[in-house]
Amino acid sequence: MKIYKFGGTSLGSAGRIRKVTDIISSALQEDELIIVVSAIHRVTDLLLEAATKACSGDEGYRNILGELEQLHTAIAGELFSIERSEEVKQSIHADLSELGDIIHGVYLLRELSDRSLALVLGFGERLSARLVSSFLQLNRIPSVYLDARELIVTDANYADARVETAETEKRIKKRLSVIDGVPVVTGFIASAPDGTATTLGRGGSDYTASLLGAALGASEIWIWTDVDGFFSADPKRVKDARVLPFISYAEAMELSHAGAKVLHPLAVQPALKAGIPLLIKNSFNPEVPGTRIEPCPRQPEIPALPVTGLTSINKIILLNMSGSGMVGVPGIASRLFSRLARHRINIIFISQASSEQSITLAINPLQAAKAKKILEEEFSSEIASRQIDPISIRRNLAMIAVVGNNMSGHPGVSAQLFETLGKNGINVIAVAQGANEMNISLVVDSHDEDKALNSIHESFFLSQGKVHLFIAGTGNIAKSLLRQISAHRVNLQQDHDLDVIVCGLANTRRMAMDDKGIDPQNWEETLAVRSEHTGIQGYLQLLRERNLHNTIFVDCTASAEVAASYPELLLDNISVVTANKLGMAGPWPLYRQIREAQRKSNARFLYETNVGAGLPIINTLNDLKNSGDKIISIEGVLSGTLSFIFNELRKGGRFSDIVRQAKDAGYTEPDPRDDLSGADFARKFLILGRELGFTLEYADIVCESLVPEELQGEMPVAEFLNRLSAVDGWYAAEIEKAAKEGMTIAYAGEICNGKASIGVKRVPVSSPIAGLNGSENIVVFTTERYRKTPLVVRGPGAGGEVTAGGVFADILRIASYLV
Ligand code: ASP
Ligand code: MG
């Protein structure tokens, strides 16, 4: 014999009840069944609302009663033929008019005791059980309606009654032995010894099913609900959550206590005692095997993970009692807990450190004020004498429970757990783990709940890690980056267990956001004007609200405003990869803020492409520094345009011709004076100088502009190019003079002794700088270890593809830290 319990959504409509009847009738071919039902979806809530409205004098309760009648009669109308349906509607009406009388009484008296409320709430199950039983009969399945008030005896604690198990077992056995046909039992309701109605607490029908199964020695108890079983995490919050095929009773208890709503926590106990397996099945999807809860559940072929599942309770408060007067004083905890118990305040979580200076409790927010008051009364004299501080309350918190049989004796679980949270900048406010090591519970800010669940889930359950990118800028670099990500994504998934997801993309006017990922191939179509959040601030605001785990902000703009947001992002523990120089080469205060934020943050900040695009310059420099080398000097050419001009000049061209040629080939900015001024070049040297630890502002870089003084006024580009030939002679002469000494000229930068300068310099013909080709960049590190032959990094230092490649590499560097 099996117990089949159907929850409210499984009975939510006539169609659903038909489906349930199919499930029952096919099961009956093999097994004897006892059916337990919940109230129809929403009905218990409506009953509660009606009663509370009535009690507060709100006549709205009448509408709710109307709604209840409408809901049940409509279903009856659909299920039954006209004559039969009249009969069923009659009985619904009779129940509801009894209910109406009771609630009217509540309305008149403006008084709603737990005792009256229990009676009211029980109507939902009475109505649904009658409907199901009648419909089974209509389908030629002999069936008997059974009111659980006859079967289950509890104490007189009406709202959340404790079951008297011995007496209950006796009654169940006796009553069920004389029944012919399939019993349909009302879940949730019971009666006190004097016969008045009580309830088993919200969601209590599962408990009813388990009590029946245990008393009757059922072979299995099936809980039919609207989800596929126990999940490794709440699938509404964690997209990748999966069904757990087997879990132990203990795990089921831990998970259901900690918020997984699949099963009433008390339902495990009777089944466990009687050794009966519990199954969670989806009535919307009966073919799916569901979750089997057993004493020793796992099949040998399923490797046991240390963590079975996680759940959360999203609204709790922490109540904290602390004070020096608590240390070494026995009896404080006892008083604390017994006072709360006497007022039926349920404690979800307890934590006390060994200093005994403070005890922290988590409770339901609805009981917060009451609990605080009670404790302030209890400890009033200690508070007055300052032995104990005033009781403090912290709100808007969530409790997350990480559960698993196999966590016990398995070192490293908590290390992995806290490391994951830490890297995502999730602050853990309180922690508790009992010595059974089955459950690590932690309290975090509500805002971080989903982020915590997702990052923990990914860390323990998934072989593949994710990083979520939010890109700013949709210019060349961003376009190349998107192309590269799209080309390489599958590879990263397969070979590196990493999924790089572009969740956001924005320029100054338009943005696109999608947690599941924007298609990197068709992103242009998804960009839309978001009136409510315009500009970078709006974008960043949305990114913060999303609060996804493993988030990386990728700056492909050249905007000072975007750069100014780095410190804040880092302090929010969002990692940043940037191709935009205006942060690291920005004003000194901004630079300092970024560095400081970086120190305080668990997030990473990488900017390799700020100097020499994809060339490994910053990384090389840091490797040298970190491994104890001393940098003597850095020289280099860090402008592709100026590199080109001087490389051509050395071959014997005329300066003004070469500039014109470079412009025509698209090597220069639209106005070549922007390159000739050396400003961008100087910024890169500013960054290198700061990297070496010097306090430098842009103005400290000695920068020689190649725009001749007499041509510095405003004039059109064409005129400028025409008049530039005035300096051709000077360059030719310089090269000639230098050549006499085995030297040549280059536009290069140098940092030495804390001084940075860029400009036209003489360099030996044999120097690597003199050997550059095309628009190549170069950096020459002379260090203690690389003194005789300097360390040289050379290659193309600009262009969308190589810059994007450098950005991508930085992203992957951060990903391998995060994941
Ligand atoms: N109908 C009750 C409730 O909504 C009991 C149950 O569904 O298990 O809480
Ligand atoms: Mg339920």
Side-chain angles (χ1 to χ4, degrees):
M1 185 271 291
K2 290 182 179 147
I3 311 289
Y4 272 24
K5 177 258 163 176
F6 293 95
T9 39
S10 296
L11 306 167
S13 66
R16 296 307 318 157
I17 293 177
R18 279 204 189 90
K19 182 89 198 170
V20 161
T21 309
D22 292 345
I23 292 174
I24 293 173
S25 78
S26 69
L28 279 173
Q29 314 206 327
E30 294 187 10
D31 293 299
E32 229 180 278
L33 291 185
I34 292 173
I35 312 299
V36 176
V37 292
S38 291
I40 287 171
H41 180 54
R42 279 182 55 242
V43 167
T44 313
D45 290 335
L46 288 172
L47 289 166
L48 181 61
E49 198 188 333
T52 25
K53 278 217 161 107
C55 178
S56 67
D58 179 345
E59 292 214 23
Y61 78 87
R62 290 183 210 276
N63 298 338
I64 299 174
L65 288 175
E67 196 180 327
L68 284 166
E69 175 132 14
Q70 159 66 23
L71 186 125
H72 289 92
T73 51
I75 291 178
E78 268 189 68
L79 287 178
F80 301 99
S81 64
I82 295 183
E83 323 91 73
R84 191 70 187 94
S85 111
E86 273 320 304
E87 214 182 301
V88 178
K89 283 181 187 166
Q90 276 303 315
S91 96
I92 291 170
H93 186 74
D95 274 343
L96 286 174
S97 70
E98 185 190 335
L99 174 68
D101 290 346
I102 298 166
I103 298 193
H104 187 58
V106 170
Y107 174 74
L108 293 176
L109 295 168
R110 303 279 195 275
E111 190 180 86
L112 180 62
S113 64
D114 281 352
R115 176 176 158 153
S116 322
L117 184 61
L119 180 62
V120 169
L121 294 186
F123 273 85
E125 272 71 8
R126 287 158 63 182
L127 289 160
S128 64
R130 254 195 244 287
L131 269 174
V132 171
S133 171
S134 309
F135 192 63
L136 287 177
Q137 279 163 12
L138 183 74
N139 285 276
R140 282 189 283 281
I141 299 170
S143 164
V144 187
Y145 165 85
L146 247 182
D147 188 325
R149 286 176 294 179
E150 289 179 56
L151 306 176
I152 297 173
V153 193
T154 66
D155 64 10
N157 187 0
Y158 292 91
D160 212 350
R162 295 292 120 193
V163 173
E164 315 269 355
T165 29
E167 178 59 19
T168 298
E169 193 180 319
K170 226 190 295 163
R171 288 206 200 173
I172 292 176
K173 280 189 172 138
K174 187 156 164 241
R175 183 70 181 85
L176 271 294
S177 67
V178 296
I179 278 195
D180 247 352
V182 179
V184 178
V185 184
T186 56
F188 181 53
I189 56 178
S191 59
D194 66 357
T196 47
T198 61
T199 73
L200 303 180
R202 292 308 302 270
S205 301
D206 299 339
Y207 191 20
T208 310
S210 188
L211 289 165
L212 279 160
L216 298 170
S219 63
E220 287 172 352
I221 301 162
W222 291 38
I223 306 293
W224 288 92
T225 174
D226 56 358
V227 290
D228 285 344
F230 266 99
F231 277 77
S232 52
D234 181 350
K236 288 196 201 90
R237 294 171 176 274
V238 179
K239 230 176 37 245
D240 302 302
R242 50 175 178 239
V243 178
L244 303 167
F246 300 97
I247 57 175
S248 69
Y249 289 123
E251 286 168 331
M253 243 182 308
E254 295 285 355
L255 287 171
S256 52
H257 267 295
K261 296 240 165 52
V262 204
L263 186 67
H264 192 282
L266 290 177
V268 178
Q269 242 262 325
L272 176 149
K273 253 172 78 190
I276 304 170
L278 278 159
L279 277 87
I280 309 297
K281 293 280 291 176
N282 189 352
S283 76
F284 292 72
N285 203 0
E287 300 76 34
V288 170
T291 298
R292 201 179 163 88
I293 306 166
E294 275 184 306
C296 190
R298 238 164 290 274
Q299 285 179 337
E301 66 265 25
I302 299 176
L305 292 169
V307 174
T308 304
L310 28 142
T311 58
S312 60
I313 301 181
N314 56 2
K315 285 200 190 81
I316 60 155
I317 65 114
L318 282 184
L319 211 137
N320 189 61
M321 189 168 105
S322 51
S324 53
M326 289 166 64
V327 180
V329 183
I332 299 263
S334 148
R335 280 165 63 198
L336 172 73
F337 293 122
S338 45
R339 264 319 277 270
L340 293 176
R342 226 174 300 146
H343 288 87
R344 304 199 59 80
I345 290 169
N346 186 38
I347 300 167
I348 304 167
F349 167 107
I350 305 170
S351 171
Q352 186 201 273
S354 58
S355 67
E356 306 173 31
Q357 286 255 24
S358 83
I359 301 181
T360 302
L361 310 173
I363 60 175
N364 184 320
L366 295 176
Q367 295 181 310
K370 183 170 159 198
K372 182 167 190 265
K373 195 166 148 256
I374 291 166
L375 294 181
E376 277 166 356
E377 270 163 31
E378 174 68 35
F379 295 98
S380 58
S381 68
E382 284 90 344
I383 293 173
S385 64
R386 308 237 172 129
Q387 286 170 291
I388 290 180
D389 303 332
I391 310 287
S392 72
I393 285 185
R394 192 159 167 175
R395 291 177 193 278
N396 300 325
L397 304 173
M399 192 197 71
I400 290 174
V402 181
V403 170
N405 270 348
N406 298 314
M407 296 200 315
S408 123
H410 189 127
V413 175
S414 55
Q416 188 178 339
L417 173 64
F418 291 108
E419 188 188 342
T420 305
L421 295 171
K423 282 180 176 168
N424 273 289
I426 297 165
N427 183 35
V428 176
I429 296 162
V431 193
Q433 183 204 275
N436 71 358
E437 301 180 44
M438 269 203 61
N439 182 329
I440 304 177
S441 296
L442 32 103
V443 177
V444 299
D445 195 287
S446 290
H447 180 61
D448 286 331
E449 182 183 357
D450 284 9
K451 188 177 178 184
L453 286 170
N454 277 284
S455 53
I456 299 170
H457 189 267
E458 189 171 292
S459 161
F460 284 100
F461 292 89
L462 304 183
S463 53
Q464 195 173 78
K466 291 195 192 87
V467 288
H468 301 108
L469 306 187
F470 289 81
I471 300 174
T474 54
N476 271 338
I477 299 175
K479 282 188 179 126
S480 299
L481 178 64
L482 288 163
R483 251 197 317 274
Q484 291 176 11
I485 292 173
S486 128
H488 200 50
R489 186 165 172 197
V490 175
N491 222 326
L492 287 172
Q493 288 168 342
Q494 285 169 354
D495 299 346
H496 300 272
D497 292 326
L498 177 69
D499 196 6
V500 176
I501 308 171
V502 177
C503 298
L505 196 58
N507 54 35
T508 41
R509 286 155 300 117
R510 296 186 304 154
M511 68 172 78
M513 278 224 183
D514 189 345
D515 293 358
K516 291 194 283 301
I518 297 161
D519 180 357
Q521 273 167 335
N522 295 317
W523 57 270
E524 300 208 63
E525 283 132 57
T526 50
L527 279 183
V529 177
R530 289 276 274 258
S531 54
E532 77 278 26
H533 286 294
T534 48
I536 180 66
Q537 295 311 331
Y539 185 52
L540 294 177
Q541 179 61 27
L542 284 171
L543 175 166
R544 281 203 196 87
E545 278 164 21
R546 295 303 313 121
N547 202 22
L548 299 176
H549 69 288
N550 297 350
T551 290
I552 306 177
F553 176 72
V554 183
D555 183 2
C556 300
T557 70
S559 143
E561 190 191 359
V562 178
S565 67
Y566 302 160
E568 226 179 296
L569 283 166
L570 290 169
L571 291 175
D572 268 348
N573 289 295
I574 295 164
S575 294
V576 176
V577 169
T578 177
N580 173 2
K581 284 183 272 296
L582 299 183
M584 296 314 272
W588 180 257
L590 173 61
Y591 175 81
R592 232 194 31 218
Q593 276 173 22
I594 296 173
R595 286 302 193 200
E596 229 158 71
Q598 220 181 333
R599 261 193 301 279
K600 288 186 193 150
S601 170
N602 292 346
R604 294 281 157 111
F605 177 69
L606 295 181
Y607 49 94
E608 177 61 86
T609 51
N610 281 3
V611 180
L615 298 179
I617 293 169
I618 305 281
N619 272 318
T620 307
L621 182 53
N622 281 317
D623 284 350
L624 292 172
K625 277 193 320 192
N626 294 339
S627 63
D629 202 351
K630 294 248 151 35
I631 317 290
I632 298 166
S633 72
I634 300 178
E635 290 161 284
V637 176
L638 288 169
S639 153
T641 319
L642 294 170
S643 176
F644 174 83
I645 293 170
F646 279 79
N647 298 342
E648 291 301 309
L649 207 53
R650 283 193 295 270
K651 289 187 203 154
R654 281 169 29 159
F655 184 76
S656 61
D657 287 349
I658 299 167
V659 172
R660 197 185 298 269
Q661 199 187 325
K663 178 178 158 31
D664 294 344
Y667 291 170
T668 67
E669 297 293 318
D671 184 341
R673 279 169 290 189
D674 292 340
D675 298 294
L676 296 176
S677 74
D680 188 58
F681 194 148
R683 269 195 212 103
K684 295 175 192 169
F685 262 83
L686 173 61
I687 294 175
L688 290 175
R690 285 174 173 178
E691 214 58 27
L692 290 179
F694 301 120
T695 307
L696 293 174
E697 274 291 7
Y698 182 75
D700 298 328
I701 313 288
V702 180
C703 173
E704 177 186 350
S705 172
L706 298 186
V707 179
E709 223 161 276
E710 60 276 21
L711 301 185
Q712 279 184 350
E714 286 207 14
M715 70 185 77
V717 176
E719 184 189 342
F720 168 75
L721 286 172
N722 286 337
R723 291 175 60 186
L724 193 59
S725 57
V727 295
D728 290 350
W730 183 83
Y731 285 100
E734 277 300 295
I735 293 184
E736 209 173 302
K737 270 191 269 168
K740 289 196 183 119
E741 292 160 34
M743 308 277 268
T744 183
I745 61 165
Y747 190 88
E750 185 186 21
I751 305 176
C752 196
N753 302 327
K755 295 224 160 35
S757 67
I758 62 171
V760 180
K761 305 203 168 170
R762 284 198 179 182
V763 292
V765 186
S766 60
S767 134
I769 291 179
L772 289 179
N773 288 316
S775 60
E776 281 174 342
N777 279 22
I778 192 167
V779 175
V780 180
F781 296 102
T782 306
T783 73
E784 236 164 52
R785 289 179 197 149
Y786 293 93
R787 200 195 274 268
K788 259 179 68 207
T789 316
L791 174 63
V792 173
V793 181
R794 164 178 169 181
E801 278 299 302
V802 290
T803 309
V807 169
F808 199 3
D810 275 349
I811 291 171
L812 296 179
R813 237 169 252 134
I814 295 182
S816 75
Y817 154 76
L818 287 174
V819 172

